[in-house]
Amino acid sequence: MLPLQEYIQKLMPPLIQKWNELKDEDKDLFPLLECLSSVATALQSGFLPYCEPVYQRCVTLVQKTLAQAMMYTQHPEQYEAPDKDFMIVALDLLSGLAEGLGGHVEQLVARSNIMTLLFQCMQDSMPEVRQSSFALLGDLTKACFIHVKPCIAEFMPILGTNLNPEFISVCNNATWAIGEICMQMGAEMQPYVQMVLNNLVEIINRPNTPKTLLENTAITIGRLGYVCPQEVAPMLQQFIRPWCTSLRNIRDNEEKDSAFRGICMMIGVNPGGVVQDFIFFCDAVASWVSPKDDLRDMFYKILHGFKDQVGEDNWQQFSEQFPPLLKERLAAFYGV
């Protein structure tokens, strides 16, 4: 096996040479940009020596396409409509850079006008452009929130408008980005909860919503409740059942962790909201293989609190409805 460093030295020079040969108008850029996006995500900090020219060119491609689109809108008789694929592929490569370089992308973002361009892309008429914009917004939120935060007041209403399940992928990426923004904003998310909450609750209750969108919606509702429990908890009854059923099948991970913390905090604020669907909550709790200790304590307190509230006899009757496996797991892990 070649060490990674040698792979990089073999792979990158021909890719960069090709990169330098191709003009900004050349469609052969598409596969190259897609390739570099995978390379950047995989190499992570190994891509640092190459990131600056790649980043700059992506920004230029986005800027050129937007400018051309504007000229075409104003004078359709004089100008051609741009090929927006250039912008889409460039946005995707910027996402790959943000994901691969993490915090290292901060200086590149600081020296560019990408946030202004992103604001325009997020409002583009073409769904694929919006889809890639929201993915980049989520990745930049994770990598360098310091540059995203000043734009939140302008961005949030656009995110809210795009919570439209007719465009599944746009909706999915907007939903995911809102969840990532929650985790960075904390309690400062409060002014924006009402802009997005109703749409999210509507989506999670829609029949035939694709599985991925349901899971992302549930996670974002949980994250909203995690940072603003007082604002979200009053609606608990309207989403708790589909919330539980869509997250019971995903494996333990960070997103699931923050979402379940949110649901526990909301139950603390509004315990009545979960009473009718408590069996679904029990089932969702049992789907955890190894929750962190403090999350497990939260589950323990809620389960025992409910049991103490209804009394031993009622609990016995209630738990008779449990499938055997659920009963076993709750007894073993939480002693109920």
Side-chain angles (χ1 to χ4, degrees):
M1 279 287 283
L2 282 173
L4 185 62
Q5 209 45 47
E6 281 186 45
Y7 274 121
I8 297 177
Q9 282 158 4
K10 280 192 163 55
L11 267 177
M12 288 307 296
L15 286 175
I16 295 295
Q17 187 188 343
K18 186 114 179 101
W19 171 267
N20 291 331
E21 285 164 10
L22 293 173
K23 291 196 170 60
D24 282 351
E25 301 71 47
D26 195 326
K27 290 200 168 164
D28 286 342
L29 270 176
F30 297 162
L32 180 59
L33 287 163
E34 284 172 5
C35 165
L36 284 171
S37 181
S38 306
V39 172
T41 310
L43 292 185
Q44 297 188 339
S45 59
F47 197 78
L48 272 173
Y50 314 96
C51 67
E52 190 138 8
V54 173
Y55 180 91
Q56 291 309 341
R57 188 166 192 184
C58 287
V59 172
T60 305
L61 283 168
V62 174
Q63 201 154 7
K64 278 187 178 174
T65 313
L66 285 172
Q68 205 182 331
M70 203 172 206
M71 296 196 306
Y72 171 72
T73 312
Q74 288 164 356
H75 311 283
E77 68 295 335
Q78 288 174 22
Y79 295 98
E80 274 186 35
D83 182 343
K84 287 187 178 172
D85 284 346
F86 283 102
M87 177 156 72
I88 294 165
V89 187
L91 289 166
D92 291 343
L93 176 43
L94 288 169
S95 275
L97 285 175
E99 200 183 327
L101 297 173
H104 293 296
V105 84
E106 189 272 322
Q107 298 142 331
L108 296 170
V109 175
R111 293 199 295 269
S112 71
N113 62 339
I114 187 63
M115 297 316 295
T116 313
L117 299 173
L118 197 50
F119 182 62
Q120 291 172 266
C121 293
M122 285 164 55
Q123 298 174 83
D124 197 89
S125 57
M126 189 175 176
E128 290 78 4
V129 174
R130 301 200 303 276
Q131 174 186 338
S132 293
S133 309
F134 295 135
L136 177 55
L137 176 60
D139 283 319
L140 290 175
T141 296
K142 290 177 85 163
C144 54
F145 190 63
I146 175 173
H147 298 300
V148 177
K149 195 172 183 186
C151 314
I152 289 297
E154 285 184 301
F155 284 8
M156 282 311 297
I158 303 171
L159 284 162
T161 325
N162 279 278
L163 295 175
N164 170 7
E166 275 176 64
F167 301 102
I168 291 294
S169 303
V170 179
C171 185
N172 210 3
N173 289 359
T175 302
W176 173 71
I178 292 166
E180 290 299 336
I181 289 168
C182 285
M183 298 311 286
Q184 300 289 339
M185 289 284 281
E188 290 178 65
M189 194 69 188
Q190 194 245 325
Y192 309 108
V193 173
Q194 296 317 320
M195 280 179 199
V196 297
L197 184 58
N198 289 335
N199 285 350
L200 292 167
V201 172
E202 203 172 305
I203 291 165
I204 206 170
N205 281 294
R206 266 175 58 118
N208 308 323
T209 303
K211 190 166 157 305
T212 334
L213 181 54
L214 275 180
E215 289 168 3
N216 270 329
T217 306
I219 285 166
T220 294
I221 291 173
R223 289 179 151 190
L224 267 174
Y226 179 58
V227 295
C228 299
Q230 297 293 341
E231 282 69 31
V232 187
M235 291 189 77
L236 196 52
Q237 203 174 340
Q238 294 174 50
F239 61 76
I240 186 71
R241 183 184 287 204
W243 191 94
C244 290
T245 49
S246 51
L247 289 189
R248 68 183 298 272
N249 294 323
I250 70 166
R251 45 196 179 76
D252 298 8
N253 63 27
E254 279 306 308
E255 294 186 338
K256 185 173 177 175
D257 179 275
S258 53
F260 270 81
R261 287 172 192 274
I263 220 77
C264 291
M265 290 171 76
M266 289 187 274
I267 291 172
V269 174
N270 176 18
V274 76
V275 169
Q276 288 177 314
D277 298 304
F278 199 70
I279 189 165
F280 291 91
F281 176 73
C282 294
D283 180 57
V285 165
S287 77
W288 277 88
V289 180
S290 46
K292 293 184 179 151
D293 290 345
D294 59 334
L295 179 59
R296 197 170 145 165
D297 287 344
M298 289 169 141
F299 294 157
Y300 184 93
K301 287 196 176 87
I302 292 171
L303 292 169
H304 279 269
F306 186 84
K307 185 180 173 177
D308 297 345
Q309 196 74 46
V310 298
E312 192 62 48
D313 294 348
N314 288 331
W315 176 263
Q316 282 312 319
Q317 268 178 304
F318 173 67
S319 59
E320 283 306 306
Q321 315 162 43
F322 291 179
L325 190 67
L326 174 57
K327 219 172 170 172
E328 254 170 66
R329 289 195 72 129
L330 290 177
F333 283 96
Y334 301 100
V336 288

